[in-house]
Amino acid sequence: MEESRNPFLQPNGIESAHGYSSRFNSDKRGRHNFIGTGFPGLKKRGHTLGNRSWIKIEQNGSSKVVELDKATVMRHCSLPARDLRLLDPLFIYPSTILGREKAIVVSLEQIRCIITADEVFLMNSLDGSVVQYKSELCKRLQKEKYHSDDLPFEFRALELALEFACLTLDTQVKELEMEIHPVLDELAKSISTLNLERVRRFKGHLLALTQRVQKVCDEIEHLMNDDGDMAEMYLTEKKQRNLCNDLDDQVQGNNLIAPVVALGSKSAPVSPVGSTSGAHKLQRAFSNVSAHRHGSLSTSSVTGETENIDQLEMLLEAYFVGIDNTLNKLLSLKEYIDDTEDLINIKLGNVQNKLIKFELLLTAATFLATVFAVVTAVFGMNFEDEVFNEPNRFNWVVSISAMLCAILYICFLIYIKHKKVFPL
């Protein structure tokens, strides 16, 4: 019984019978290796099982499948581990778009990728959306080699991901509309358990789809409202700026080192006081030049980012309008379902009112029939009376009792109509 309750204790029970010698085997170097079974789904750190299949798409439109582990991707793209968890297919996360220093992390429906300034790492999958995204992005990049485009590489990849996500969600909404409208119309005509079960299933699907569309809409709106996040996504511009900074550093270093070399090459002796003052002057010159350069670069970068975010904002706004339209379709469909439910509740309330009306009339008739039965029960008792001497008197008693019951019933109906309990 204990083994059936806890299956994880079975290996330990076997090992306890053999002692600790079966769990640990010493090798020739004297080290002990654990030979337990462990958890089958647990991945060891640095093990080859951590490699995942990625589709690498370059700027020229070429693509290839590569096997990369998490550490390599984190180093190459300068991403934290929490960002890669968003792309893990084993976890269920809502749609997310994150702008980092050297990459954009995109998780939109089935499209999960890392976009850099030079390449796209797409999570490899057999899903149709992933295959279409890869083929369409390669096709567009190969066409744009011969046609100039104002959008940088990272925005073209992001635009295609947004396009596929919006089209996928809009297609699912249209399919749901085509399926649910006939069911709702049929339910409005005839209320049945089968139709109610179908509407309940469609309503659950509608709520799940609404949450997905709402998350994509909120994510795009959040990016549009935050200039800093949009500025972080200009990867090509940041890369070019960093290259310019490196070149400026080299030029400034060469310009400052040249006078020092020239001074050191002179044959005249230099006093210690003079050398110390020269070193201080050289240090002040380094600090002034670097401060001036960093101040000018920061000012130019801020002004450039504020001017250039309009390009990304217009791109996001176009897809925000589309996804907001899809969300409005879902909300209108939900309102249609709510209206149908209200109509069904009204019909059920009407049927319930009719049943209450019938029950009330039936109760009144039962009461009057009971009064008539009391009269007949009284005369059915065994006692002597003059009424029994003449049979016609009994007929008169029965007739008068029936007439009185009928008059009382009519009075009951008139009272109910006067009080407007329900229309007759």
Side-chain angles (χ1 to χ4, degrees):
M1 294 295 290
E2 295 180 357
E3 293 181 355
S4 61
R5 285 183 222 145
N6 197 347
F8 292 106
L9 294 178
Q10 292 178 3
N12 293 335
I14 296 173
E15 291 172 2
S16 62
H18 296 280
Y20 288 99
S21 61
S22 63
R23 296 182 58 189
F24 295 93
N25 291 334
S26 59
D27 54 5
K28 295 180 181 180
R29 297 179 182 177
R31 292 177 298 184
H32 298 281
N33 298 325
F34 181 71
I35 59 171
T37 56
F39 294 98
L42 188 63
K43 292 188 290 187
K44 299 178 181 179
R45 182 179 177 181
H47 200 265
T48 56
L49 291 177
N51 293 346
R52 290 194 178 277
S53 179
W54 298 81
I55 301 176
K56 182 180 178 182
I57 304 174
E58 298 181 354
Q59 286 187 350
N60 56 5
S62 62
S63 63
K64 61 180 179 179
V65 179
V66 294
E67 296 287 338
L68 299 174
D69 59 347
K70 184 181 290 187
T72 304
V73 176
M74 290 168 57
R75 259 192 328 268
H76 183 75
C77 302
S78 299
L79 293 176
R82 61 177 178 272
D83 290 345
L84 292 183
R85 281 198 297 269
L86 299 174
L87 307 178
D88 198 334
L90 299 178
F91 297 97
I92 300 176
Y93 287 102
S95 298
T96 308
I97 302 175
L98 299 176
R100 298 304 186 211
E101 181 64 26
K102 294 183 179 179
I104 300 175
V105 181
V106 178
S107 177
L108 294 173
E109 293 300 312
Q110 302 299 326
I111 307 299
R112 304 185 180 193
C113 60
I114 301 173
I115 303 173
T116 65
D118 301 321
E119 56 204 3
V120 176
F121 290 96
L122 178 64
M123 184 72 71
N124 195 5
S125 175
L126 297 178
D127 189 81
S129 301
V130 176
V131 177
Q132 291 179 5
Y133 176 82
K134 175 247 180 184
S135 60
E136 184 65 23
L137 181 59
C138 293
K139 187 186 301 182
R140 292 187 181 184
L141 292 175
Q142 290 172 0
K143 287 182 179 179
E144 289 168 0
K145 287 193 301 184
Y146 308 101
H147 304 283
S148 60
D149 193 357
D150 296 336
L151 287 177
F153 170 74
E154 62 270 17
F155 290 166
R156 283 178 280 172
L158 178 62
E159 180 186 14
L160 187 59
L162 289 171
E163 180 180 346
F164 268 84
C166 295
L167 287 176
T168 301
L169 292 173
D170 189 65
T171 302
Q172 293 180 8
V173 171
K174 290 180 179 178
E175 291 177 355
L176 185 61
E177 283 181 339
M178 294 176 61
E179 292 178 357
I180 202 171
H181 275 293
V183 177
L184 291 176
D185 295 339
E186 185 178 355
L187 181 62
K189 294 178 182 178
S190 62
I191 302 172
S192 63
T193 305
L194 179 61
N195 291 335
L196 289 173
E197 179 63 26
R198 293 172 64 186
V199 171
R200 185 191 65 81
R201 187 173 64 254
F202 282 132
K203 189 174 182 180
H205 188 196
L206 174 66
L207 292 177
L209 189 57
T210 303
Q211 291 178 357
R212 290 162 54 194
V213 174
Q214 184 69 55
K215 181 58 183 175
V216 175
C217 186
D218 293 341
E219 193 67 25
I220 297 176
E221 186 177 8
H222 173 72
L223 288 175
M224 292 171 59
N225 294 333
D226 196 333
D227 295 343
D229 289 346
M230 286 192 291
E232 283 289 332
M233 294 185 177
Y234 282 82
L235 304 179
T236 303
E237 185 177 345
K238 288 193 293 185
K239 182 180 178 181
Q240 294 175 354
R241 192 184 305 127
N242 292 332
L243 292 176
C244 293
N245 292 342
D246 294 338
L247 293 176
D248 290 341
D249 289 337
Q250 293 179 1
V251 172
Q252 293 290 341
N254 294 331
N255 292 336
L256 291 173
I257 290 173
V260 176
V261 174
L263 289 173
S265 62
K266 290 183 178 181
S267 60
V270 181
S271 65
V273 177
S275 63
T276 306
S277 62
H280 285 299
K281 290 180 181 179
L282 185 60
Q283 186 177 4
R284 280 199 302 270
F286 268 115
S287 61
N288 291 332
V289 169
S290 62
H292 175 71
R293 184 173 57 83
H294 286 296
S296 61
L297 284 175
S298 62
T299 305
S300 62
S301 64
V302 170
T303 55
E305 287 174 355
T306 53
E307 291 176 358
N308 292 334
I309 59 174
D310 295 338
Q311 188 180 23
L312 179 58
E313 188 173 4
M314 292 175 61
L315 173 65
L316 295 175
E317 186 177 0
Y319 290 98
F320 176 75
V321 173
I323 199 66
D324 188 64
N325 186 24
T326 304
L327 183 60
N328 290 332
K329 290 180 183 179
L330 290 172
L331 294 179
S332 61
L333 189 59
K334 185 178 182 298
E335 290 179 358
Y336 187 65
I337 293 177
D338 293 338
D339 294 340
T340 305
E341 289 180 350
D342 294 338
L343 178 61
I344 292 172
N345 291 330
I346 292 172
K347 287 186 176 182
L348 293 177
N350 188 21
V351 173
Q352 187 177 7
N353 291 335
K354 290 181 179 180
L355 292 175
I356 293 173
K357 174 183 175 181
F358 179 75
E359 183 181 2
L360 184 59
L361 296 176
L362 187 60
T363 303
T366 304
F367 172 72
L368 296 175
T370 304
V371 173
F372 182 75
V374 168
V375 175
T376 58
V378 168
F379 283 95
M381 292 183 180
N382 189 13
F383 64 93
E384 294 181 359
D385 192 88
E386 296 179 355
V387 178
F388 297 105
N389 296 331
E390 297 181 5
N392 292 331
R393 291 184 180 181
F394 181 75
N395 294 334
W396 279 103
V397 170
V398 173
S399 301
I400 292 172
S401 300
M403 291 177 61
L404 289 175
C405 290
I407 292 172
L408 288 175
Y409 189 73
I410 294 172
C411 293
F412 176 75
L413 296 179
I414 294 173
Y415 175 78
I416 289 177
K417 185 177 182 179
H418 178 69
K419 290 296 183 180
K420 297 180 180 180
V421 177
F422 49 78
L424 294 173

